[in-house]
Amino acid sequence: MKELISLIANLKFKRLFITKTDNMFIQFFRYCFVGGIATVVEGAALWLIQHFVFQEAEGFYVYFAQGIAFVLGLIANFVLSKMFVFRESSDKTNTMGEFVAYGVIGVVGLGFKELMLWAFNKRLGWHYMLVWLFATAIVLIWNYAARKLFLYRKK
């Protein structure tokens, strides 16, 4: 944690974002940054699909819109994570196997999001974007921990 705080305080951006590291705090910081970009991709896609494809602000189609947006966010997250966060090779034999495993972990997170969307939007009437933001914060922790433990753990 000290190293992360020092890098931020001293504006050492290359070491903070680019240089390979095994420091879990720096990796999580990078994952949050990468996840933020993927979240913008997913959120923008969700909003655009919901309003311009399905043309309604609420309703059943929000679940389909979330699924499509999830795939776009997953692709962005995978590519950026390989570039900046999880540089060590996974225990999968090739990139496709790695992406599938990455995706399975993401699908579990999507399940959490869909469940929260159903519970808080459909049942309690909260706005779907507010629920999506709340669920995204929770799923961020799940995704990082699961990917770090099951896919990119040290051999």
Side-chain angles (χ1 to χ4, degrees):
M1 184 67 132
K2 279 183 172 181
E3 185 180 0
L4 173 63
I5 292 169
S6 173
L7 293 175
I8 293 169
N10 295 311
L11 303 175
K12 303 269 184 171
F13 295 116
K14 184 174 182 183
R15 287 190 50 213
L16 189 60
F17 290 104
I18 307 296
T19 305
K20 187 174 179 178
T21 183
D22 290 331
N23 184 305
M24 183 180 69
F25 294 110
I26 294 172
Q27 283 186 336
F28 185 69
F29 177 83
R30 288 176 182 178
Y31 190 78
C32 289
F33 186 78
V34 163
I37 294 169
T39 297
V40 169
V41 169
E42 184 179 337
L46 174 61
W47 188 84
L48 290 168
I49 293 165
Q50 187 66 3
H51 283 80
F52 293 108
V53 176
F54 296 130
Q55 298 180 344
E56 56 182 83
E58 305 287 337
F60 183 74
Y61 291 108
V62 73
Y63 301 104
F64 294 117
Q66 172 60 66
I68 295 165
F70 162 77
V71 170
L72 297 173
L74 179 71
I75 291 168
N77 194 297
F78 178 75
V79 170
L80 293 171
S81 288
K82 289 299 294 175
M83 291 171 60
F84 298 106
V85 184
F86 300 120
R87 295 205 180 138
E88 61 270 13
S89 58
S90 77
D91 57 358
K92 304 300 169 224
T93 57
N94 59 39
T95 303
M96 184 52 87
E98 184 178 350
F99 181 73
V100 168
Y102 200 91
V104 167
I105 292 167
V107 166
V108 172
L110 175 63
F112 293 150
K113 277 187 177 181
E114 294 285 2
L115 182 62
M116 286 184 256
L117 191 61
W118 173 81
F120 293 103
N121 174 258
K122 188 77 170 167
R123 305 301 273 162
L124 298 178
W126 293 15
H127 191 273
Y128 74 95
M129 287 302 290
L130 176 65
V131 177
W132 177 80
L133 284 171
F134 172 73
T136 296
I138 293 169
V139 170
L140 169 81
I141 296 165
W142 154 257
N143 283 342
Y144 175 77
R147 288 171 179 152
K148 182 71 175 166
L149 291 172
F150 300 123
L151 193 56
Y152 299 110
R153 66 180 171 262
K154 284 189 174 187
K155 295 177 171 98

